Amino acid sequence: MRDKLIAVCRKFRVDGDCVDWRAISNGLINDSYWMEFRKDERDKQYVLQRINLHVFKSPDKVMENIERVTDYIKSKCKNSGNSSKRSYMTFYHTKDNKNYYIDDNNDFWRISKYIQNSIIIDDTDDLDIIREIGFAFGQFQEKLSDFPAEMLYETIKDFHTTTKRYQAFKKSIEESNIERLIIAKNEIDYLLSVEEQACKLTIMAENRLLPYRVTHNDTKCNNVLLDEDTRKALCVIDLDTVMPGLVMHDFGDAARYICNNACEDSRDLNKVHIDISKFRAFTEGFLLPIKHTLTELEIEYMAYGVFVMATELATRFLTDYLNGDKYFKINYTDHNLARARCQIALAKDIYSNMNLMNKIVYEYVNQLVMAI
Ligand code: GN1
Ligand code: MG
């Protein structure tokens, strides 16, 4: 493996000796590796990734989007007086000036600069870090608020079109093997029973009640790099799904992950609930950079977006379970079922906390901070 990875790095004109490497295990889609090379006694680190071609059908378009978005963010940072190279991603190019390389197996690779002294976290109880992660995603959206959305390809069609996710779910129910269908009966029944509520934002957007903005669309907290020492956010990463979407998608996806008292695939469902202190910290951070840009309906449905994203993802995990685990990487046989169960438990808890969560959103929009 090591030799293969080194050979790919060479295509991007990385030279020197490879002195260390390891697989980076987070992420359910692409394969990622940290690589270190030494040249003239200086060490340089990189992140090499193999793109999942089952998920991304036109990876060259993904890379075109990424080039445009990273260039834009870079110029925004510079114009605002932030010249730190740690606040944006840098991708390397091959000899023929492409920011990707396709090998003899038709595997699709890209390589970016490893940002020094950066860490990612998968979960945390530290409210300052949670606020910071909220701020990073809010600011990311704010930075791209005047980016021409028509310049972006739709890298995964209908990624957060919940109605389409439900169509795929229903098809998987029809085509599933009977054993899995029986095992997942309760989960299927629940998700079908909330279809209308889950699809509400998609329908509102289609009726032009909610605006499409340039959104990240995959706002798990491990897609924010933090400074190892200060724990301040440096840079938002994993830009594969940056495309037009709803602000509640980014808010909701991040909050359903970081404010869950348990991890995304927890099998201890008693532990799964939305932690209101975390939700408060996240909301404060996320809304600060963008609250002045939001419409009344966006504010009204912001917390609702957390329910929608938990439900949509539960539907996606269960669809994949019924389809025989073709989309998300799994670590054991019923992993996708466990993930779906966890997101369903979370969705139910979010639904019962909706009034309180709405109240918190309005507090931060109006900048009234009250202790609960
Ligand atoms: C996938 O690979 P990762 O962790 O960045 C998925 C997201 C899901 C997430 C669930 C392109 O993201 O939509 O929310 O898993 N990305 C894609 O953990 O489908
Ligand atoms: Mg991703």
Side-chain angles (χ1 to χ4, degrees):
M1 190 68 197
R2 180 179 175 271
D3 291 346
K4 165 81 203 169
L5 298 177
I6 294 172
V8 175
C9 291
R10 301 278 185 236
K11 300 288 174 189
F12 292 89
R13 292 179 283 183
V14 170
D15 49 11
D17 299 321
C18 177
V19 286
D20 204 0
W21 74 281
R22 65 184 144 79
I24 304 173
S25 58
N26 67 307
L28 306 190
I29 306 292
N30 298 324
D31 297 319
S32 308
Y33 305 88
W34 174 87
M35 310 285 301
E36 186 170 46
F37 285 79
R38 182 168 299 160
K39 193 189 171 201
D40 301 333
E41 313 216 332
R42 283 191 56 217
D43 292 342
K44 263 183 133 179
Q45 295 91 14
Y46 305 85
V47 176
L48 178 66
Q49 288 186 299
R50 176 172 38 209
I51 305 302
N52 181 328
L53 300 180
H54 176 65
V55 170
F56 295 103
K57 309 284 183 210
S58 305
D60 51 330
K61 296 200 167 121
V62 172
M63 293 313 292
E64 230 178 291
N65 276 3
I66 288 181
E67 183 129 311
R68 289 186 176 144
V69 168
T70 47
D71 282 353
Y72 198 79
I73 292 177
K74 187 172 163 182
S75 65
K76 273 270 165 105
C77 289
K78 287 192 172 152
N79 292 342
S80 67
N82 172 7
S83 57
S84 168
K85 290 189 174 153
R86 296 165 79 213
S87 45
Y88 51 85
M89 295 187 81
T90 304
F91 285 86
Y92 291 87
H93 291 77
T94 58
K95 268 191 209 117
D96 49 357
N97 209 29
K98 291 202 168 79
N99 58 0
Y100 59 86
Y101 165 69
I102 301 171
D103 70 16
D104 300 340
N105 276 338
N106 273 332
D107 281 343
F108 190 102
W109 299 88
R110 67 178 173 213
I111 185 167
S112 60
K113 189 186 270 179
Y114 170 77
I115 296 184
Q116 292 294 328
N117 265 42
S118 65
I119 52 159
I120 50 176
I121 50 134
D122 257 314
D123 68 284
T124 179
D125 291 328
D126 185 325
L127 299 183
D128 290 332
I129 294 182
I130 293 175
R131 192 178 299 105
E132 192 61 24
I133 285 174
F135 184 76
F137 283 127
Q139 200 185 38
F140 179 84
Q141 210 170 92
E142 196 271 329
K143 276 191 191 132
L144 293 175
S145 57
D146 48 5
F147 182 91
E150 64 281 2
M151 289 187 55
L152 290 177
Y153 295 107
E154 197 179 359
T155 52
I156 299 181
K157 198 162 163 30
D158 293 316
F159 192 52
H160 288 313
T161 308
T162 316
T163 44
K164 292 276 166 64
R165 294 297 188 182
Y166 263 90
Q167 274 175 22
F169 176 47
K170 287 175 187 167
K171 188 160 176 272
S172 74
I173 296 171
E174 276 165 26
E175 292 171 2
S176 167
N177 83 38
I178 188 78
E179 202 183 310
R180 287 200 164 192
L181 213 52
I182 293 168
I183 296 174
K185 179 170 185 323
N186 289 344
E187 290 71 26
I188 294 172
D189 287 348
Y190 170 77
L191 289 173
L192 291 177
S193 76
V194 294
E195 178 174 359
E196 202 181 314
Q197 290 100 308
C199 294
K200 189 161 182 159
L201 298 183
T202 296
I203 304 282
M204 286 174 76
E206 282 170 1
N207 290 329
R208 295 171 187 266
L209 294 170
L210 299 169
Y212 287 103
R213 300 170 181 273
V214 176
T215 45
H216 182 280
N217 295 306
D218 187 7
T219 48
K220 291 202 297 202
C221 60
N222 55 22
N223 282 332
V224 175
L225 297 184
L226 302 168
D227 184 284
E228 194 172 7
D229 305 319
T230 65
R231 298 293 200 258
K232 291 283 175 202
L234 294 170
C235 175
V236 171
I237 59 169
D238 192 354
L239 308 177
D240 298 337
T241 50
V242 174
M243 51 189 164
L246 305 180
V247 63
M248 303 82 164
H249 292 156
D250 278 4
F251 181 84
D253 199 24
R256 64 123 199 117
Y257 189 90
I258 204 171
C259 308
N260 183 353
N261 186 54
C263 52
E264 189 179 57
D265 55 356
S266 174
R267 286 192 276 186
D268 182 356
L269 298 184
N270 290 324
K271 272 197 187 160
V272 177
H273 63 84
I274 185 101
D275 180 316
I276 292 298
S277 309
K278 291 183 181 178
F279 180 73
R280 172 178 281 284
F282 174 78
T283 302
E284 181 182 7
F286 188 93
L287 291 183
L288 189 67
I290 53 157
K291 60 185 172 190
H292 59 283
T293 68
L294 300 173
T295 67
E296 268 175 44
L297 277 179
E298 283 180 314
I299 297 165
E300 192 178 329
Y301 283 92
M302 194 63 75
Y304 194 81
V306 193
F307 167 76
V308 167
M309 293 310 284
T311 315
E312 184 191 276
L313 188 59
T315 308
R316 294 174 60 198
F317 283 146
L318 204 57
T319 302
D320 200 29
Y321 176 72
L322 297 175
N323 282 342
D325 307 311
K326 298 194 178 91
Y327 187 95
F328 296 105
K329 289 183 201 166
I330 51 167
N331 299 334
Y332 55 89
T333 308
D334 286 343
H335 203 164
N336 274 318
L337 177 64
R339 288 168 174 153
R341 285 188 171 145
C342 178
Q343 293 306 302
I344 288 173
L346 184 65
K348 289 179 181 169
D349 191 56
I350 294 165
Y351 205 77
S352 62
N353 277 287
M354 195 56 72
N355 286 343
L356 178 55
M357 289 165 69
N358 270 325
K359 191 166 153 262
I360 292 170
V361 167
Y362 277 101
E363 279 171 31
Y364 286 106
V365 168
N366 299 324
Q367 266 183 327
L368 275 172
V369 182
M370 304 190 317
I372 277 190

